[in-house]
Amino acid sequence: MLSSPSLSTTSQQSQTLGPRVRKLHAHIGKAHHQAEGMAFSRALLEGRAKPLQLAGLLRALLPAYTLLEQEAPDLATALGAADIPWSSLARRHALEHDLKQLDVLPATPGSAAAAIWLEQIRLLARQAPHRLMAHVYVRYGGDLSGGQQLGGQANIILGRHGLPALKFWTFKQEIPALKKALHDGFEQMDLSEAEEEELLDEAVLAFKLTQKLLAELAEL
């Protein structure tokens, strides 16, 4: 959720990425570091976040992941990305499971940032599917990369409070294979030069929306 996909890739690994994914990484680097440096991000990475903040995060994420998983597969196929392993990447059921486990925690305020994000991706699904795919990449790519460290820290925090571990950042398939499949799918998309630029710009906006959510969580 907080880390962009593969930004810490070694130079050898970077050479294996396709040109579109390399552009994405270069374009979102600054926004990624800004998000990583925010108060809630640091607290989670250092194991200082509160269980209620984690519950607030997952509650904010569920509607957007649900919409992405309803809309993005068909839209991606129409753009030429037929091989993204959606069923393996999907997080909705894991989020639903985790939220049931965290029902013992108090309610959290509705997230204004999550509502803005949800409306943005709903609009893109109707009007600009290639831009919607930027949100797919930032979200699922991040879950497969930096999210693995976040998940470990989150479960340590929850364990200290006698709460069950999360499944949100746990994938049944091998992470490297899923990352490769996601990257390959993005290289498959048939985009014009203008559409590719819009994809890159939307990926930065996706991180800006993430920063708004992180700022909210720091106040919980």
Side-chain angles (χ1 to χ4, degrees):
M1 167 64 193
L2 308 179
S3 294
S4 75
S6 304
L7 286 177
S8 59
T9 312
T10 65
S11 59
Q12 181 178 2
Q13 289 172 320
S14 297
Q15 293 171 5
T16 69
L17 300 176
R20 180 171 291 146
V21 173
R22 288 201 301 271
K23 286 181 185 178
L24 270 166
H25 287 191
H27 217 70
I28 62 182
K30 181 179 179 180
H32 159 251
H33 290 304
Q34 289 172 341
E36 195 173 50
M38 296 184 72
F40 174 72
S41 305
R42 295 196 308 273
L44 180 49
L45 287 167
E46 296 168 7
R48 296 184 288 104
K50 303 293 191 295
L52 190 62
Q53 291 176 305
L54 294 171
L57 170 62
L58 299 189
R59 290 165 183 167
L61 293 179
L62 178 58
Y65 274 82
T66 299
L67 180 61
L68 286 174
E69 290 167 13
Q70 290 170 344
E71 302 288 347
D74 288 344
L75 296 174
T77 298
L79 290 169
D83 298 331
I84 294 176
W86 295 104
S87 61
S88 298
L89 291 172
R91 299 291 84 203
R92 178 170 65 90
H93 293 308
L95 280 167
E96 291 172 342
H97 169 273
D98 292 344
L99 287 173
K100 286 180 182 178
Q101 301 276 63
L102 297 179
D103 271 348
V104 296
L105 296 173
T108 46
S111 169
I116 293 169
W117 176 31
L118 183 65
E119 185 56 34
Q120 174 71 359
I121 60 177
R122 184 179 285 122
L123 178 67
L124 296 180
R126 296 194 303 265
Q127 298 184 2
H130 62 289
R131 289 171 57 194
L132 178 74
M133 294 301 291
H135 294 264
V136 169
Y137 190 79
V138 169
R139 296 278 68 81
Y140 295 100
D143 295 337
L144 290 168
S145 296
Q148 299 305 294
Q149 181 183 3
L150 298 178
Q153 292 286 22
N155 288 338
I156 290 170
I157 292 166
L158 294 173
R160 288 202 301 261
H161 291 82
L163 294 166
L166 302 177
K167 292 187 175 182
F168 174 62
W169 285 291
T170 300
F171 293 84
K172 294 181 180 179
Q173 285 70 29
E174 293 291 329
I175 298 295
L178 284 178
K179 288 169 70 171
K180 183 179 186 305
L182 180 66
H183 293 166
D184 290 348
F186 269 73
E187 297 298 339
Q188 287 176 338
M189 288 193 296
D190 184 15
L191 303 180
S192 68
E193 184 175 336
E195 288 172 334
E196 181 154 309
E197 287 301 315
E198 290 175 352
L199 168 73
L200 298 176
D201 290 342
E202 189 69 31
V204 175
L205 177 59
F207 265 105
K208 298 296 185 184
L209 293 172
T210 296
Q211 289 174 27
K212 291 180 183 294
L213 175 57
L214 297 177
E216 286 182 349
L217 292 168
E219 299 300 319
L220 276 180

